[in-house]
Amino acid sequence: MHKDILIICETGISASLLVSKILEAIREKRLSYEIDYAPIRRVEEKLNSKGYDVLLLTPQVARSEEKVKEIIKKEKCKAQIIFINKDDFRYMNIENIIASIEEN
């Protein structure tokens, strides 16, 4: 099943590494996922430009959870929201992150 996924991070620096590792894994697994990422300040712009199926929030975004939820509500986004486990993020446990996408 095809899924458009937006990874939301605080500044975009650590998410770029996460994106590259997820892209590598989805190629190997032949999953039909499109991955994009944005720092919090660009989420509204991203949600305006595309309908995402899944929003993956990095652990740093938890501090801004209410702000992100307000943006999501304002943009009438119906995407599944998944918070990436902090240990999975820290150790780049891509298998667990992909499993959380597939479960939803």
Side-chain angles (χ1 to χ4, degrees), residues 28-65:
E28 287 175 10
K29 294 177 177 292
R30 299 176 191 236
L31 297 171
S32 182
Y33 292 175
E34 277 188 51
I35 306 289
D36 198 0
Y37 73 99
I40 293 172
R41 69 182 187 287
R42 292 194 54 222
V43 170
E44 193 168 349
E45 170 189 334
K46 289 288 189 176
L47 294 179
N48 274 323
S49 68
K50 187 172 188 171
Y52 292 94
D53 302 303
V54 177
L55 302 179
L56 272 178
L57 283 62
T58 63
Q60 301 91 330
V61 174
R63 290 180 269 193
S64 305
E65 180 179 356

Side-chain angles (χ1 to χ4, degrees), residues 40-41 63-72:
I40 293 172
R41 69 182 187 287
R63 290 180 269 193
S64 305
E65 180 179 356
E66 289 308 312
K67 179 180 179 180
V68 172
K69 285 184 176 183
E70 285 176 26
I71 294 169
I72 292 167

Side-chain angles (χ1 to χ4, degrees), residues 3-8 43 47 50-57 68-69 71-73 75-83 104:
K3 291 186 182 187
D4 288 308
I5 301 165
L6 178 64
I7 298 173
I8 302 173
V43 170
L47 294 179
K50 187 172 188 171
Y52 292 94
D53 302 303
V54 177
L55 302 179
L56 272 178
L57 283 62
V68 172
K69 285 184 176 183
I71 294 169
I72 292 167
K73 184 178 179 180
E75 296 302 318
K76 297 181 174 101
C77 178
K78 302 292 185 203
Q80 184 79 33
I81 300 169
I82 301 171
F83 283 91
N104 294 295

